[in-house]
Amino acid sequence: MQQPRDPHEIPPGCPAHGNVQMYGPSFGADPESHYAQLRAYGPSAPVDIAPDVQVELVTSYDAALYILQNPASFVRDSRRWNALNEGRVPADSPALPMMSYRPNALLSDGAAHARLRRAVTDSLATVNEHQLIRQTQQSANYLISQFSTDIRGHAELMAEYAQPLPLLVFSELFGCPPEIGDRVIAGISGLFEGTPGSDEVLGGALMELIALKRRRPTDDLTTRLMEHSAELSDEEVLHQLVTLLSGGTAPLAAAIGTSTALYLGEDWQLGLPVEDAISQTLWNYAPISNYAAHYPTHDVELGGRVLRANDPILISFAAANTDPKLTEHREQLSAKAHLAFGAGPHACPAKDPAFMIAVTAVETLLNQLHDVELRVPFKSLTWAPIPWSRSLVTLPIRFTPKAVAQGAGPAASAGSSASAWSAGSNGGQAPQQQAAAPAPSHAGPSGTHAPAAPQPKGGLFSRFLAWTRGE
């Protein structure tokens, strides 16, 4: 029997009565109960993804796969969005930065999508695996060096490690010189934080980078995109770089933070490798939780509900991964059968590098700080109250502080590439987060201060590059 679409026609007690709100403290504290409530409605249900913004949210694993793998009936171009075109979406809605159209591979369809995606996937395929691991280790070692000598032996791992690390790695992959890299990081961080003018800062820095690579091409991701046979325009290169930044850095930060917390948590089984913590994060704490807006090209019936053409359908990767119908048979599934990286023609093209970066980041931390532990139980950690991502707000840790090294640079705190903590390891428009690592506090328990080493001028990327040169 078809369910009524008008909320006024829905009888009280029905789980869809007065749409479930997928934002705010209640959702952030317990998203699983919200998903359980929605599952009672069927494979999908109408929800408020932001104030005055209704979407259909798919919570079923099978229904999610059906939509993700059926691009003929479900397209990604948000210029079709009925409510937006009719002026029913608030101009300042937090849903707009996540769902508005941009000419990138993520939000394109058909031949345009195939062309842009080929340029991205081919360029990513040229990234050297061993070089990527070295870049990640070097970025990790730098960030650890900034807080590991704190005489309190305390750090806040999200702001000081998990969030800035992907930004450093991507700035290197893009081939940014110091000053441009600083502005790229400031721009994308400002977008995450909702800082006015950040879009212009990011766009200006990337256009300057593209102009530089036109004059002096080098062996980096930006140059490979520009030289690809798809012949992308400078504007198209810009939008693919923004997509890689926004889709790669924030989800990676969430994965690194959650995986570290799981590994150090009270319920973790000693002896399991870091890869297991990453996989558990991708299954149970999907970094991109509710996203991937699709627009039916015609009215579609799904589980007894009629989904209208051009009304947005979002995929709950978090709910699909924890679908009770799926978990009964999860032992028989591949460890990679989760939907954290999507599926179908728009699946994340960088899932293997992303997994590698996350594993390397967690391993390097564990190698550098051998006695690191959580300062609060895992179950007491707080999650961001937003629908788009499952990300920790803070991750407080303690450890034995390191002695201040004589001289700066990577040699002073270089970590081993082989993990002592992991058995046999070789190892997507983003939520708000603090991107730059703050200067470490050197105040001891008695209020005394250790002398702080002078910091090089410039932003995060400039300071990192200066550190790698031993300055």
Side-chain angles (χ1 to χ4, degrees):
M1 179 178 177
Q2 179 178 321
Q3 300 282 357
R5 289 190 52 82
D6 186 344
H8 297 290
E9 299 176 12
I10 301 172
C14 175
H17 187 76
N19 289 357
V20 174
Q21 293 184 353
M22 305 298 289
Y23 57 90
S26 174
F27 174 75
D30 188 12
E32 289 79 12
S33 68
H34 289 65
Y35 299 140
Q37 183 179 1
L38 293 172
R39 288 190 185 104
Y41 199 73
S44 71
V47 303
D48 289 339
I49 203 71
D52 299 317
V53 180
Q54 177 177 301
V55 302
E56 190 81 10
L57 188 70
V58 175
T59 58
S60 157
Y61 183 91
D62 290 341
L65 268 183
Y66 169 71
I67 292 171
L68 291 167
Q69 296 177 340
N70 191 353
S73 296
F74 302 94
V75 298
R76 300 298 304 274
D77 190 336
S78 62
R79 290 174 294 186
R80 292 171 167 265
W81 188 358
N82 285 329
L84 182 63
N85 293 333
E86 294 165 7
R88 292 187 284 115
V89 178
D92 60 350
S93 172
L96 285 177
M98 304 300 296
M99 297 174 62
S100 294
Y101 174 77
R102 291 178 176 83
N104 58 34
L106 186 66
L107 300 176
S108 300
D109 302 294
H113 167 258
R115 172 176 166 269
L116 294 172
R117 183 178 174 88
R118 186 173 69 254
V120 172
T121 54
D122 289 352
S123 299
L124 286 170
T126 65
V127 174
N128 181 277
E129 175 180 320
H130 299 292
Q131 181 181 358
L132 181 60
I133 291 175
R134 286 194 300 271
Q135 288 175 332
T136 304
Q137 287 174 333
Q138 193 170 50
S139 298
N141 288 331
Y142 166 70
L143 294 170
I144 293 168
S145 76
Q146 302 303 290
F147 63 77
S148 60
T149 57
D150 182 335
I151 61 175
R152 299 171 305 164
H154 285 184
E156 199 295 279
L157 214 60
M158 291 305 295
E160 297 183 67
Y161 187 72
Q163 291 166 355
L165 191 151
L167 295 169
L168 291 176
V169 173
F170 272 79
S171 296
E172 282 205 282
L173 286 174
F174 286 3
C176 293
E179 192 273 336
I180 291 180
D182 287 342
R183 285 191 287 133
V184 166
I185 290 176
I188 192 67
S189 301
L191 285 179
F192 295 162
E193 298 159 11
T195 305
S198 298
D199 202 8
E200 291 78 7
V201 171
L202 178 60
L206 289 176
M207 286 306 293
E208 189 173 326
L209 176 65
I210 291 167
L212 174 65
K213 299 303 176 181
R214 289 280 182 211
R215 298 192 304 269
R216 296 195 300 273
T218 52
D219 184 20
D220 54 62
L221 201 54
T222 306
T223 301
R224 292 174 202 137
L225 275 171
M226 295 169 64
E227 294 181 345
H228 192 270
S229 59
E231 297 183 343
L232 272 59
S233 67
D234 286 357
E235 182 183 11
E236 287 174 328
V237 173
L238 167 69
H239 283 287
Q240 309 325 304
L241 292 176
V242 171
T243 302
L244 287 168
L245 269 177
S246 57
T249 55
L252 259 177
I256 292 168
T258 304
S259 301
T260 302
L262 280 173
Y263 196 94
L264 299 177
E266 57 273 16
D267 294 333
W268 188 255
Q269 183 178 337
L270 293 178
L272 291 178
V274 165
E275 286 92 339
D276 281 15
I278 309 293
S279 293
Q280 186 170 325
T281 293
L282 296 175
W283 273 108
N284 298 329
Y285 305 91
I288 301 177
S289 300
N290 305 287
Y291 191 53
H294 289 73
Y295 301 85
T297 56
H298 53 86
D299 289 359
V300 177
E301 183 175 341
L302 184 69
R305 282 179 55 77
V306 174
L307 311 182
R308 287 182 54 214
N310 300 325
D311 279 353
I313 303 171
L314 264 62
I315 306 297
S316 178
F317 300 109
N321 281 349
T322 56
D323 185 342
K325 295 179 180 178
L326 178 70
T327 53
E328 294 173 4
H329 310 289
R330 216 161 85 174
E331 295 80 5
Q332 302 162 4
L333 295 173
S334 162
K336 298 181 179 180
H338 59 76
L339 297 181
F341 292 120
H346 283 90
C348 175
K351 58 183 178 180
D352 291 335
F355 193 91
M356 190 182 307
I357 291 170
V359 170
T360 304
V362 178
E363 287 185 346
T364 304
L365 178 80
L366 299 172
N367 284 334
Q368 289 279 357
L369 306 176
H370 297 292
D371 61 351
V372 62
E373 59 184 14
L374 298 180
R375 281 160 50 198
V376 298
F378 178 83
K379 292 181 175 63
S380 299
L381 294 171
T382 303
W383 301 89
I386 52 178
W388 317 104
S389 176
R390 184 69 160 154
S391 181
L392 291 168
V393 175
T394 61
L395 180 53
I397 60 168
R398 59 173 163 253
F399 51 88
T400 300
K402 293 187 174 185
V404 178
Q406 297 298 315
S413 59
S416 168
S417 60
S419 174
W421 294 76
S422 172
S425 169
N426 292 313
Q429 309 175 40
Q432 293 183 354
Q433 59 174 313
Q434 180 70 30
S441 168
H442 295 275
S446 63
T448 59
H449 290 259
Q455 291 292 317
K457 294 181 179 180
L460 174 63
F461 194 56
S462 289
R463 298 194 301 271
F464 165 66
L465 292 179
W467 178 85
T468 63
R469 297 189 296 264
E471 298 175 4

